[in-house]
Amino acid sequence: MARFNYWRANWEGFTDNLENTINDVSPAASGYEVFQALVWHIAKKNIPRGCRKEYITGLDETSKTIYENYVQAYNRDPFEELTTELGNKVLASLSAARKERWMETVADLNMTHNSKNAWKTIKELNSDKKPDTTAAAVSSNQVAHQLLINGKPLHRERGYVKQMKEKMGEVHKETDDMFPLFTEEELKTRIKHLKSRKASGLDGISTEMIQNFGPRSREWILSLFNSCAAGYNIPKIWRRTKVIALLKPGKDPQLPSSYRPISLLCVLYKLYERLILARISPIVEDQLTDDQSGFREGRSYVGQVLNSTQYIEDGYERKKITGLYLLTSQQPMTPSTTEHFC
């Protein structure tokens, strides 16, 4: 599959071309399709795109030159002394390049800010048996049908959609004053927190492209987001997702039920969601009890277990015995769910 090579991208040309043409597009949900086509047209002009048919680890420019000379000498005479000499040079050059690359990889490992590379390195060093990657005798339609069955609601009341629309209309009226226009500073902050090297959605606009948008392009995106928030309308393609089926560990690849789906949303849609989340989070946080840790940043169920253990130890220090301690993952833990008996 052909992919963009962001390492060799002409980002200056990409930014300039987009800046010069973005004003011709209407910053509204109806103009998003034109915007998508414009970004793709400019990206294909400034970012190399293709697929790698042959790959040698550590083959830098120096090693590549020696390797090409070696291939020519080998085709001419495999047993010539020059061929052997060039072969040794290629191996030595590749070893030095791979060693340098390994040192850089180890130095850049960071489990706090970017754990993806760290876990990838650990998995490559793992000596466990690699999973079988042979094609399964199950069609994509069978997997898609099974995923639809898995995601189908068990029960849907009549008029449910109508009721939800009425409730959303009431919510819109209550939240009009809560959501003033998004600011440029908010947009810059959210773009800065986007993770690179992530798959794009159906629109094909990646994080790397968004991070290289110029001032006019960011202003266009900001106007689009404010238009969507004011009109309660988003581009149609944002409502669709690219679903990829992954084989569950240890499951039979011949069964459609052995696959789980992951959904790839449009990156700009996720950016829009994060802008809204940044507005909602402070309001919601003030309404939550300190004992609740589910779906909250910096908290986890493990932390609640640790708090529970500390609570029991504090009771022992006060000469009390813990007879019963109840924890639930469905409701926030409150002091009423804990009991100490003397």
Side-chain angles (χ1 to χ4, degrees):
M1 174 183 283
R3 297 182 179 180
F4 284 112
N5 186 356
Y6 296 119
W7 294 100
R8 298 185 178 181
N10 179 17
W11 289 121
E12 293 183 4
F14 173 82
T15 303
D16 293 341
N17 292 344
L18 189 58
E19 289 288 283
N20 295 332
T21 54
I22 192 64
N23 290 333
D24 299 334
V25 185
S26 173
S30 57
Y32 188 81
E33 187 175 348
V34 180
F35 169 76
Q36 174 192 354
L38 176 64
V39 173
W40 257 84
H41 175 70
I42 295 175
K44 287 191 289 187
K45 288 174 55 179
N46 295 277
I47 307 175
R49 190 166 182 264
C51 56
R52 185 167 48 192
K53 299 180 180 179
E54 184 181 30
Y55 176 67
I56 301 177
T57 307
L59 190 66
D60 53 12
E61 293 299 327
T62 303
S63 302
K64 184 178 180 180
T65 303
I66 302 175
Y67 176 73
E68 291 175 351
N69 295 333
Y70 167 76
V71 172
Q72 294 177 1
Y74 183 86
N75 293 333
R76 185 173 58 250
D77 186 357
F79 304 101
E80 189 180 4
E81 184 177 353
L82 178 61
T83 304
T84 305
E85 182 180 349
L86 289 173
N88 293 332
K89 286 185 178 181
V90 170
L91 293 177
S93 180
L94 286 176
S95 298
R98 290 170 180 173
K99 181 178 180 181
E100 182 179 358
R101 183 176 178 180
W102 171 249
M103 298 297 292
E104 293 176 355
T105 301
V106 174
D108 294 339
L109 290 181
N110 192 326
M111 296 294 292
T112 303
H113 300 289
N114 187 4
S115 60
K116 180 178 179 180
N117 291 336
W119 283 114
K120 181 180 178 181
T121 303
I122 293 173
K123 289 180 180 179
E124 289 178 352
L125 294 175
N126 193 356
S127 59
D128 292 344
K129 183 180 178 180
K130 303 296 181 182
D132 186 14
T133 57
T134 55
V138 56
S139 66
S140 57
N141 288 336
Q142 289 176 313
V143 176
H145 178 69
Q146 183 65 42
L147 295 181
L148 287 175
I149 295 176
N150 295 342
K152 188 176 181 179
L154 299 178
H155 178 67
R156 177 174 292 180
E157 299 179 1
R158 292 184 178 180
Y160 173 78
V161 176
K162 182 178 180 181
Q163 294 177 7
M164 288 302 299
K165 287 184 177 180
E166 294 176 354
K167 290 182 180 180
M168 289 304 297
E170 297 174 0
V171 172
H172 290 164
K173 295 178 181 179
E174 296 176 359
T175 57
D176 281 341
D177 298 333
M178 190 184 303
F179 286 94
L181 296 178
F182 297 115
T183 64
E184 185 178 355
E185 191 62 30
E186 288 179 293
L187 181 62
K188 287 183 178 179
T189 302
R190 294 302 111 195
I191 290 178
K192 189 180 298 183
H193 285 81
L194 288 177
K195 294 184 178 180
S196 57
R197 302 179 65 182
K198 294 292 184 179
S200 59
L202 288 174
D203 61 0
I205 300 177
S206 63
T207 302
E208 288 80 3
M209 296 179 188
I210 298 173
Q211 291 173 340
N212 285 277
F213 281 178
R216 294 180 185 175
S217 303
R218 288 196 298 268
E219 184 179 352
W220 190 94
I221 294 298
L222 189 62
S223 299
L224 172 66
F225 289 165
N226 287 323
S227 174
C228 292
Y232 309 116
N233 187 27
I234 61 174
K236 291 183 179 180
I237 196 170
W238 287 4
R239 305 172 192 173
R240 300 171 59 194
T241 180
K242 183 191 298 183
V243 179
I244 299 177
L246 299 179
L247 181 64
K248 298 176 183 178
K251 297 295 183 178
D252 185 5
Q254 311 297 330
L255 300 177
S257 58
S258 300
Y259 295 84
R260 66 177 181 87
I262 59 172
S263 300
L264 301 180
L265 297 172
C266 298
V267 180
L268 281 175
Y269 180 47
K270 292 191 288 187
L271 181 61
Y272 177 61
E273 286 182 330
R274 292 180 182 182
L275 282 170
I276 298 177
L277 179 62
R279 291 281 184 89
I280 295 177
S281 294
I283 302 172
V284 176
E285 283 291 328
D286 293 340
Q287 307 299 323
L288 298 179
T289 175
D290 292 336
D291 295 322
Q292 181 175 343
S293 62
F295 304 101
R296 300 180 71 180
E297 186 177 1
R299 298 169 181 252
S300 67
Y301 197 78
V302 177
Q304 291 295 72
V305 173
L306 180 61
N307 293 337
S308 304
T309 306
Q310 186 64 45
Y311 191 66
I312 294 173
E313 290 182 358
D314 293 342
Y316 282 134
E317 293 180 359
R318 295 194 300 270
K319 307 299 182 182
K320 293 184 178 181
I321 299 175
T322 302
L324 179 66
Y325 201 103
L326 302 178
L327 278 176
T328 174
S329 60
Q330 298 178 349
Q331 298 178 352
M333 187 181 70
T334 61
S336 61
T337 61
T338 61
E339 291 292 342
H340 282 260
F341 300 97
C342 298

